[in-house]
């Protein structure tokens, strides 16, 4: 809460600097531009940088030698997620799915299938609000809570991991995540599969950057379909395995009802 309060103070001070315009002079205008640009730049960094620790404690790596984690956002998708699950099953790879709550409500059988096949299901909010960082406290809490509830209804488990839309931050996010018992998971490699239209380019972006411990961000639901990602993924998996990488989940699988755990790479379970 203290950091959130300091963030609000930063915004207030940045805007209060407009008072420096009076009495008007060129030197005051230049000083104001400098102060306002600096304050705005820091604000945007705190809100948008995916690995900034200021507003919410987060993790962007997995432990264990030569381990990487594949994560998929925005699903489930009725067409592309089952195709993705088929690829992962064929390759013997486990991944982490950050599901949107209202999508999980529409396709609970896909969420259940992902869980039953050994994947990890995580909270990606209820509705993926693009202005997530400007939500009121009430709406922020509802996005987190309803996202978790949809996962419980879909496959009977309490999610333990969270990722916000596009990695956006919120001054109260850390507070509400701690209340909900959720850990924020970021990433090290943003593949830009939302923009790249060539599977070879997408594969190269991953393979040219990846190092041990990386969490890789991909999407199993896109407005125009995830065909490019699905085409690139088998080759990426094969190449990473050839380099000695092992695929792991971002954390433990934990089913509250059954109290079962799926160890991560760091304590001995690989795929």
């Amino acid at each position: 809460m203290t950091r959130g309060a300091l963030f609000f103070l930063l915004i207030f001070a940045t805007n209060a600097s407009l008072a420096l315009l009076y009495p008007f002079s060129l030197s005051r205008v230049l000083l104001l531009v400098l102060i306002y640009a600096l304050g705005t730049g820091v604000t945007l960094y705190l809100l948008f940088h995916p690995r900034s620790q200021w507003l919410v404690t987060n993790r962007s790596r997995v432990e264990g030698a030569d381990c990487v984690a594949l994560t998929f956002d925005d699903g489930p998708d009725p067409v592309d997620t089952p195709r993705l699950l088929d690829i992962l099953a064929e390759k013997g790879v486990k991944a982490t799915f950050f599901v949107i709550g209202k999508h999980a409500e529409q396709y609970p059988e896909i969420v259940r299938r992902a869980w039953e096949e050994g994947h990890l299901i995580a909270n990606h909010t209820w509705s993926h609000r693009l202005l997530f960082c400007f939500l009121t406290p009430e709406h922020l809490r509802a996005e987190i809570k309803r996202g978790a509830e949809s996962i419980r209804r879909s496959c009977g488990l309490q999610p333990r991991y969270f990722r916000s839309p596009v990695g956006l931050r919120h001054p109260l996010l850390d507070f509400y995540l701690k209340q909900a018992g959720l850990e924020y998971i970021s990433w090290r490699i943003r593949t830009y599969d939302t923009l790249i239209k060539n599977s070879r380019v997408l594969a190269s972006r991953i393979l040219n950057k990846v190092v041990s411990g990386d969490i890789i961000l991909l999407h199993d639901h896109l407005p125009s379909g995830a065909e490019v990602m699905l085409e690139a993924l088998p080759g990426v998996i094969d190449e990473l395995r050839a380099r000695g990488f092992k695929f792991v989940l971002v954390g433990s699988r934990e089913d509250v009802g059954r109290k079962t755990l799926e160890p991560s790479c760091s304590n001995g379970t690989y795929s």
Side-chain angles (χ1 to χ4, degrees):
M1 289 296 287
T2 302
R3 290 187 177 186
L6 290 174
F7 177 80
F8 284 120
L9 181 61
L10 170 64
I11 295 176
F12 174 79
T14 300
N15 287 278
S17 67
L18 292 171
L20 293 173
L21 280 175
Y22 182 81
F24 182 82
S25 70
L26 179 58
S27 60
R28 285 178 175 268
V29 170
L30 294 176
L31 178 61
L32 172 63
V33 169
L34 177 62
I35 294 174
Y36 206 87
L38 179 61
T40 302
V42 173
T43 299
L44 293 176
Y45 174 84
L46 296 179
L47 287 175
F48 291 97
H49 193 281
R51 289 177 293 281
S52 170
Q53 300 286 336
W54 183 261
L55 290 179
V56 59
T57 303
N58 64 92
R59 178 163 56 84
S60 59
R61 302 186 66 84
V62 290
E63 296 180 356
D66 298 322
C67 289
V68 293
L70 297 176
T71 67
F72 297 91
D73 285 11
D74 296 359
D77 181 276
V79 175
D80 289 331
T81 304
R83 293 175 63 195
L84 170 60
L85 290 171
D86 289 343
I87 292 172
L88 295 175
E90 179 184 349
K91 297 294 184 180
V93 169
K94 300 298 185 287
T96 303
F97 289 82
F98 288 87
V99 302
I100 296 175
K102 66 180 184 180
H103 292 175
E105 291 279 290
Q106 291 177 289
Y107 311 108
E109 71 284 356
I110 300 177
V111 180
R112 283 195 294 272
R113 176 188 167 185
W115 173 257
E116 289 167 0
E117 292 183 4
H119 305 290
L120 181 62
I121 309 299
N123 187 344
H124 197 41
T125 74
W126 166 253
S127 63
H128 201 272
R129 298 280 289 274
L130 292 180
L131 296 179
F132 180 82
C133 52
F134 301 113
L135 292 177
T136 64
E138 179 181 357
H139 283 103
L140 174 64
R141 184 177 182 183
E143 283 287 321
I144 297 169
K145 183 178 179 181
R146 292 183 69 188
E149 288 173 348
S150 72
I151 293 172
R152 284 198 295 271
R153 285 192 292 269
S154 297
C155 50
L157 65 99
Q158 173 68 39
R160 287 288 177 259
Y161 304 97
F162 176 90
R163 179 181 287 162
S164 59
V166 203
L168 294 174
R169 303 300 200 258
H170 189 288
L172 298 176
L173 181 56
D174 199 58
F175 174 73
Y176 284 127
L177 290 184
K178 287 178 179 176
Q179 279 194 337
L182 291 164
E183 179 186 359
Y184 193 104
I185 301 297
S186 187
W187 60 82
R188 298 297 299 183
I189 296 180
R190 184 173 186 174
T191 62
Y192 290 100
D193 59 335
T194 55
L195 301 174
I196 294 174
K197 304 302 182 183
N198 184 296
S199 60
R200 285 179 294 182
V201 174
L202 177 60
S204 295
R205 179 168 179 82
I206 298 171
L207 297 174
N208 291 341
K209 289 177 173 288
V210 66
V211 298
S212 178
D214 280 350
I215 294 176
I216 302 170
L217 169 62
L218 293 156
H219 294 81
D220 59 323
H221 172 81
L222 292 171
S224 59
E227 187 66 35
V228 173
M229 181 275 293
L230 293 170
E231 185 178 336
L233 187 62
V236 168
I237 291 173
D238 290 344
E239 176 61 25
L240 290 177
R241 276 216 171 109
R243 296 182 188 182
F245 285 104
K246 297 172 282 287
F247 296 93
V248 300
L249 306 174
V250 301
S252 299
R253 276 171 41 106
E254 182 177 352
D255 186 315
V256 172
R258 288 178 288 171
K259 304 293 185 185
T260 58
L261 293 176
E262 179 87 7
S264 65
C265 178
S266 58
N267 46 22
T269 295
Y270 308 137
S271 66

